[in-house]
Amino acid sequence: MLYTKAESGRKKAGAILNTQKTGSLIAAIRKEQNRTQRDLANELGVSSAAISKWERGVGFPDVSLVEPLAESLGITIAELFKGEQIEESVDREYESLLSDVVKVSADEICRKKRLANWIIAATVAALYVLISVITGRWEITWVVWVAYCFYRVITEHIFKCS
C-alpha cells in the first residue's frame, strides 16, 4: 500500500509516497520540456487545475493516469512514485511489476464503478415496476424508464474502461 505524508501518522507496513517530491518532479520535467500545465492536462484528459494540485503536492494522479503521466514525462513509474529521477537503470522486471499493479488497480476501480452503475440501474428498474404496479398507470413511469436508459448510456461512456 502507498501512503502520503499526511497519512504517515496512520501508516501501516508499506512504502511512503511523498506527494511533494512527486509534484516537484512533475513540475520540473514539464518545465524542462517547455510545456504548460494546460498542455499536459490536455494530453492526459484532465484539467490544468488537477496538474496544479499534483505539482503542489496537494493530490496525486488517479491510478489510471499514473502510466500515461510517466510516459508523457519520459520517466518510469518507479521514478514517478519515488519523486526523483533514478540514475541507475530501473530493473525492467520491477518496472513491469509496477505497471501491472497500476493496471490491476485501475481495472478494479473500473469494475467497482460498473458494479455500482448496475446496482443503480437495477434499483431504477425496480422503482419503475413498483410505481407502475402501485399507480396502475404504466404510462406515467415512462419518464423514469427513459431517464434510466439515458443514465445507462451516459454512464457506460463515462466509465468505459480500456
Side-chain angles (χ1 to χ4, degrees), residues 50-133:
I51 303 294
S52 175
K53 285 181 181 180
W54 303 343
E55 291 183 353
R56 290 181 287 126
V58 175
F60 194 79
D62 182 77
V63 69
S64 65
L65 295 171
V66 169
E67 194 164 25
L69 176 60
E71 287 175 10
S72 177
L73 296 174
I75 59 175
T76 65
I77 296 171
E79 290 172 314
L80 184 63
F81 283 163
K82 191 170 183 180
E84 59 189 52
Q85 291 183 301
I86 302 170
E87 297 301 321
E88 66 273 1
S89 169
V90 175
D91 183 11
R92 290 208 184 274
E93 189 174 332
Y94 177 68
E95 184 65 20
S96 176
L97 178 64
L98 279 176
S99 179
D100 289 346
V101 167
V102 167
K103 285 177 185 167
V104 167
S105 296
D107 289 347
E108 182 64 17
I109 289 169
C110 186
R111 186 190 68 73
K112 286 180 180 179
K113 285 180 180 178
R114 284 190 177 213
L115 178 62
N117 188 16
W118 278 105
I119 289 170
I120 291 169
T123 303
V124 169
L127 286 173
Y128 164 71
V129 172
L130 181 66
I131 291 170
S132 296
V133 168

Side-chain angles (χ1 to χ4, degrees), residues 1-8 11 14-23 57 59-61 66 77-83:
M1 297 181 111
L2 297 174
Y3 298 92
T4 61
K5 278 208 166 196
E7 297 171 318
S8 62
K11 71 181 178 184
I16 296 176
L17 177 64
N18 186 326
T19 57
Q20 295 291 333
K21 282 179 66 176
T22 298
F60 194 79
V66 169
I77 296 171
E79 290 172 314
L80 184 63
F81 283 163
K82 191 170 183 180

